[in-house]
Amino acid sequence: MEFHHVSILLDACLDALQIKQDGVYVDATTGGAGHSLEIAKRLSDSGRLICIDRDDEALQNAKTRLAEVWQRVTPVKSDFREIDRVLQSLGLSGADGILFDLGVSSPQLDHAERGFSYMQDAPLDMRMDRSQNLNAYEVVNGWSREDIRKILFEYGEERYAPLIAAAIEREREKKPIETTLELVGVIRGAMPAKALREKQHPAKRSFQAIRIAVNDELCAVREAMEKAITCLNPGGRLAVITFHSLEDRIVKTAFQTAAQGCTCPKEFPVCVCGKTPQIRLTPKKPVLPTEEEIKENPRARSAKLRVCEKI
């Protein structure tokens, strides 16, 4: 697989990170390495970029794409929620900038064999780390009807979750649901006619939900935000691109909590909690893609970039 990935909000991310030539930076979601390449280009040979990904193919392709700057790059196979352990294992006390692009990379969506896409037929998989045991086949065929309904509703915000979960249960009693297009057919068959006339593909929300469950994405984001803020050097920047409301809510809450400081009730005459702000929001509102970028890359439409700076 070749990772021809269009980096979203690239210029905004580079501006947000305020890259120093001799600094230490982390691309916690290397993916197609587009952000990584531009960060590494701005470093001197005394600077360092840590490229983290749990997808072996992403790291293999990063070595090719980053060949011209490879002497400044340290690739690490890891879940980004382990960012603190990654830095510790490399003998680093912190980072001057950390980037998270929480979208699924274009190659994972576009290459049928990965099983992420509802547009192409493939075995049900959806694992970002293909060495892990849990995959989409196990979720669809092994989880209870109630657990499937729950993830479709909570992770996919799918209003027809009960109908779809019931249809999956009925179908798998006949035979296992083995491929992406088989699952799409079950989802289509469960939804009312008015839902099938909507502009959005009827399986989009369900596939998102199953992918999130397979890869434990929301828990990973929650853990990673807390650890990344802690890992920043003073003055260091954390930049996070999200693509749907569930992720963005987690990032927004983590930033607000870290920026808050004292949590004592207002009626207390003096602070007794001792908490001080860890970060400042820079800017306070998320950065959105321009209309020009959306036109060039429709996948950017739902992107939001939130940035904070360690105090």
Side-chain angles (χ1 to χ4, degrees), residues 10-307:
L10 177 59
D11 290 339
C13 288
L14 296 172
D15 289 343
L17 291 172
Q18 295 187 342
I19 298 167
K20 299 182 293 185
Q21 287 188 332
D22 59 350
V24 173
Y25 294 86
V26 180
D27 186 343
T29 49
T30 301
H35 290 107
S36 292
L37 178 60
E38 295 305 322
I39 293 170
K41 282 181 177 179
R42 287 159 175 76
L43 299 176
S44 65
D45 286 345
S46 60
R48 194 169 186 185
L49 173 64
I50 317 301
C51 286
I52 299 174
D53 209 293
R54 54 178 170 171
D55 187 328
D56 289 304
E57 291 176 349
L59 292 174
Q60 290 167 7
N61 281 278
K63 187 172 184 179
T64 300
R65 187 159 192 190
L66 302 176
E68 64 184 282
V69 292
W70 194 246
Q71 69 274 16
R72 305 167 196 164
V73 176
T74 303
V76 180
K77 182 181 179 181
S78 177
D79 189 318
F80 59 56
R81 74 173 90 195
E82 303 293 338
I83 187 170
D84 54 340
R85 294 183 184 179
V86 170
L87 290 172
Q88 289 168 12
S89 71
L90 296 173
L92 298 169
S93 59
D96 298 302
I98 302 172
L99 172 67
F100 289 82
D101 177 352
L102 298 177
V104 180
S105 68
S106 299
Q108 289 172 332
L109 290 172
D110 294 339
H111 288 75
E113 70 271 14
R114 298 302 297 271
F116 287 95
S117 176
Y118 44 78
M119 301 297 290
Q120 304 177 77
D121 203 20
L124 281 171
D125 193 335
M126 301 193 195
R127 292 172 297 172
M128 292 180 182
D129 178 355
R130 297 174 91 170
S131 67
Q132 76 176 40
N133 292 323
L134 182 63
N135 60 20
Y137 178 92
E138 176 60 29
V139 170
V140 170
N141 292 287
W143 285 19
S144 71
R145 171 177 167 178
E146 174 56 23
D147 285 343
I148 292 174
R149 183 207 64 78
K150 186 176 180 181
I151 65 167
L152 295 182
F153 183 74
E154 293 184 2
Y155 297 167
E157 300 176 296
E158 174 55 74
R159 61 188 181 279
Y160 300 112
L163 296 176
I164 295 170
I168 287 172
E169 184 179 55
R170 287 194 301 271
E171 185 65 25
R172 72 189 188 188
E173 286 175 353
K174 303 173 191 174
K175 72 173 203 62
I177 301 168
E178 297 184 350
T179 72
T180 52
L181 292 190
E182 283 180 35
L183 179 58
V184 169
V186 174
I187 294 168
R188 282 185 178 275
M191 299 175 79
K194 63 178 181 179
L196 299 178
R197 291 193 293 268
E198 293 177 1
K199 185 177 180 181
Q200 182 171 269
H201 192 286
K204 181 178 181 179
R205 291 183 292 267
S206 294
F207 269 59
Q208 171 184 293
I210 295 168
R211 189 202 80 221
I212 288 173
V214 167
N215 297 289
D216 195 24
E217 292 177 32
L218 298 184
C219 288
V221 171
R222 192 173 289 110
E223 289 181 36
M225 291 305 103
E226 295 176 3
K227 291 178 178 179
I229 289 169
T230 302
C231 289
L232 284 174
N233 292 329
R237 294 287 192 95
L238 171 59
V240 186
I241 305 173
T242 63
F243 289 85
H244 60 76
S245 59
L246 298 174
E247 290 173 340
D248 186 60
R249 198 175 304 138
I250 291 170
V251 176
K252 180 180 179 181
T253 299
F255 280 21
Q256 289 177 336
T257 300
Q260 182 179 4
C262 176
T263 56
C264 294
K266 293 181 180 179
E267 59 269 22
F268 278 29
V270 294
C271 173
V272 295
C273 73
K275 293 181 180 178
T276 57
Q278 299 178 62
I279 60 169
R280 63 173 64 91
L281 306 182
T282 54
K284 291 185 177 181
K285 293 185 177 181
V287 178
L288 304 178
T290 63
E291 287 300 321
E292 182 179 355
E293 181 172 2
I294 293 170
K295 187 176 180 180
E296 293 177 358
N297 183 9
R299 284 177 177 162
R301 181 173 300 278
S302 58
K304 290 183 179 180
L305 171 64
R306 293 188 183 272
V307 186

